[in-house]
Each structure stands twice: as C-alpha cells, then as structure tokens.
Amino acid sequence: MNKWKNWLLGSSLATILLFLSGCVRLDSNGNPDTSGIVYRLLVHPMGQAITYLVENFNWSYGWAVILMTVIVRIIILPLGISQSKKTMIQSEKMQALKPQVQAAQEKLKTATTREEQMAAQAEMQQVYRENGLSMTGGIGCLPLLIQMPIFSALYFTARYTEGIRDSSFYGIDLGNPSFLLVAIAGIAYLLQGYISTIGIPEEQKKTMRTMLIVSPAMIVFMSISAPAGVTLYWVVGGIFSCLQTFITNVIMKPKLKAQVAEELKQNPPKQVVTPRKDVTPAEEEKQPTKQLQASKKQNGRNSGKQQNRK
C-alpha cells in the first residue's frame, strides 16, 4: 500500500513539475503571456528583482542578470551536488557488479530458447535486486524536473525584462546577438564537459565524447540568434556548471570512490551469477568446429575399418 502511495505521490509531483517546466507562452506579437503560471510565479518576480537592482543601486542590467543567475544557481547547487553524489556512488557500486552482469549477459547471448532467455534476464535482475541497486542506477529524473522550470524562467527573464534590450554591458549591446559572448558560452560548456571526464575510464570517455560536443554546439547554435542578454545568462550558467562539475568530479569523487571501496570491502557484493572460468566465450565458439572435425575423423576411421573387413 505504501508503495502505491509513494508511486502516486511521485507521479503527481512529476506531472506538476513537467507542466511547470513548459516554456512561457507567447502572444501573436511575440510577447510573453503574462497570465501563464511560469511567468507569474517565476519570470515576473525575477524581472522585478533585476529592475530593483538597476533602479535602486544604479547597477547595469548586465550585472543584475549575472547576480540573479548566480543567486538562483547557488540555491539549486545543493540539489545538483546531491544528485551527482548519488549518481557517482551508484556508478561505483555497479562497477563492482560488472563481472556478474557480464556473465548474465553472456548467458543471454548464448540462450537458444525463450526459457533460457527469461532465466538469464531474471538472473540479471536478481544481481541488482540482491545488492540493493536498480538497473537504471536508482537515480530518478525528479531533480532535473525541479530545475527545469527555474532555468526556463531565468531564460525568459533575461529575454523579456524591460530595459535589458535597450542597455549595454561593457560595450556589448544586450538587445542584439554578441559573437564574443557566444564564443565564451561555447568555451565554458566545452570546458565543463572536459572537467566531467576527469578520472573516468577510457571506455566511458568514448561513449561521452558525442555529448561533450553536442552540448556546447547546441548552446552556440541557440546563442547566435539570441539577444546578448540571454547569452550572458548562458555564459554565467556555463561558468557555474564548470565550478559545480569541478566540486563533484575532482574534489568529491576520489573521496566517494574510497568510501565505496571500503564499504564494499566490509560488505562484498552478493554472488548471484558465477562467471564460467573453465570455458571462455572464444573457446565456446570454437567448440562446434572441433566437434565437427572430431566427428569427421571418427567417421573416416569407421569407414576405413569397414573397407578392411571387406
């Protein structure tokens, strides 16, 4: 019963957050719909805060956008670090289960019947279940859903707050695209991707290389036609992402790896699937050929004996 309650609560919360994460609606003139939920709850208050800083402290709109982005990022930082920490712990524990998982996968590949396939899949699920891990890593998308409405609101705040389009920041017109800020944003997200690969095995780096290029390319593509005020938000976000990734991947990860290694030393993973040590997969592939050759030799000997008898 509790599981059903948790599932319903999680599903309802995820649905609400997914709804809130939608982009701000625009009218026929390209202006934001001020009656939307995201606009009223997030965009409008952030825009007022930026205007307050400019009017009362004689700040430029550029510095106000930077400060607002930094404040929001700092508020969300504990959630991002917590999510990264859980992901790294799960990843290290799953590495300890890799031999058993590979053994189950080999059984699945060599299965010839539906029953053997189901048994191999059940063994693979049991490996994770017996060791208290999920096959998906145990990390849900809820933390990401919580951040999406806030990042969406920051984007629209930087784009539609009155005064930003008509201001400049160190000679950069915030109402028009800036190739300088576009380049800085691309470099920031490229650097963030590089930092995320520090200490990762080469096998995982190969699978990550595509995303390391795609993410900065998307930022550059979106920034080329966007006002510099929006690109400035992406620049600050990219720099802050570098800082967060450095904290989690360079400072925290070695300590977490040592912590997980000590935990696994005291409580080794439960052995569910035993890898076959007597016959390797390569040897198994050669076995049918060897059996066929032996059969031919045996048949040749028998035919020779029959001829001699004649």
Side-chain angles (χ1 to χ4, degrees):
M1 192 67 177
N2 289 332
K3 290 183 179 180
W4 279 104
K5 287 182 179 179
N6 293 334
W7 182 84
L8 289 172
L9 179 61
S11 300
S12 301
L13 184 59
T15 303
I16 293 171
L17 290 171
L18 190 61
F19 173 74
L20 287 174
S21 66
C23 296
V24 175
R25 295 192 301 271
L26 303 178
D27 58 23
S28 57
N29 298 321
N31 297 317
D33 180 8
T34 57
S35 64
I37 295 177
V38 176
Y39 185 91
R40 287 189 288 109
L41 294 181
L42 296 173
V43 177
H44 183 61
M46 289 181 184
Q48 283 187 321
I50 289 175
T51 304
Y52 178 84
L53 290 171
V54 173
E55 293 179 350
N56 291 272
F57 295 94
N58 198 28
W59 283 25
S60 68
Y61 277 97
W63 280 113
V65 169
I66 291 174
L67 179 63
M68 185 56 57
T69 305
V70 170
I71 290 174
V72 172
R73 287 280 187 167
I74 288 175
I75 293 173
I76 298 177
L77 182 62
L79 179 63
I81 291 178
S82 175
Q83 182 184 10
S84 299
K85 181 179 178 180
K86 290 178 181 178
T87 303
M88 287 187 288
I89 291 174
Q90 292 286 331
S91 177
E92 290 300 318
K93 289 184 177 180
M94 290 178 76
Q95 283 294 318
L97 300 178
K98 192 174 181 179
Q100 295 191 61
V101 173
Q102 288 179 336
Q105 289 174 342
E106 285 297 329
K107 289 185 179 181
L108 187 61
K109 288 179 183 178
T110 57
T112 56
T113 64
R114 179 63 179 169
E115 289 74 14
E116 290 178 352
Q117 292 177 351
M118 292 178 64
Q121 289 174 347
E123 279 190 339
M124 193 179 302
Q125 293 174 359
Q126 189 179 1
V127 170
Y128 290 101
R129 186 172 58 252
E130 291 292 330
N131 289 280
L133 295 177
S134 170
M135 294 183 70
T136 58
I139 305 300
C141 59
L142 186 59
L144 180 61
L145 288 173
I146 292 174
Q147 298 175 60
M148 283 173 62
I150 301 173
F151 291 152
S152 176
L154 265 174
Y155 168 82
F156 285 101
T157 300
R159 190 177 185 94
Y160 294 108
T161 298
E162 292 184 9
I164 293 180
R165 285 179 173 272
D166 302 323
S167 63
S168 62
F169 182 66
Y170 290 102
I172 298 173
D173 184 3
L174 295 182
N176 294 310
S178 168
F179 291 105
L180 175 61
L181 291 181
V182 170
I184 295 174
I187 292 171
Y189 280 94
L190 193 64
L191 179 61
Q192 187 267 337
Y194 170 75
I195 296 173
S196 67
T197 63
I198 296 176
I200 291 179
E202 284 297 326
E203 296 179 359
Q204 296 183 19
K205 284 184 181 180
K206 291 179 182 179
T207 59
M208 292 175 63
R209 280 173 185 167
T210 303
M211 285 303 300
L212 296 182
I213 299 173
V214 169
S215 179
M218 287 179 60
I219 293 296
V220 169
F221 177 77
M222 292 186 294
S223 301
I224 285 177
S225 58
V230 175
T231 310
L232 182 61
Y233 149 67
W234 276 323
V235 167
V236 179
I239 295 172
F240 209 91
S241 295
C242 289
L243 176 62
Q244 178 178 324
T245 306
F246 183 84
I247 292 172
T248 56
N249 209 51
V250 178
I251 298 177
M252 290 176 53
K253 191 170 185 177
K255 298 178 181 178
L256 289 175
K257 288 183 72 172
Q259 176 185 331
V260 173
E262 183 63 27
E263 183 180 334
L264 291 173
K265 186 177 179 180
Q266 296 178 0
N267 300 296
K270 295 181 180 178
Q271 194 72 28
V272 177
V273 181
T274 304
R276 294 182 62 183
K277 297 181 180 179
D278 54 338
V279 181
T280 63
E283 290 174 340
E284 286 182 351
E285 291 179 0
K286 294 178 182 178
Q287 275 188 349
T289 305
K290 290 180 179 180
Q291 290 175 357
L292 182 61
Q293 291 175 349
S295 177
K296 287 181 179 180
K297 288 181 180 179
Q298 185 66 30
N299 291 335
R301 290 173 183 173
N302 291 337
S303 60
K305 289 180 181 179
Q306 291 176 358
Q307 289 177 359
N308 291 333
R309 287 176 182 174
K310 288 179 181 180

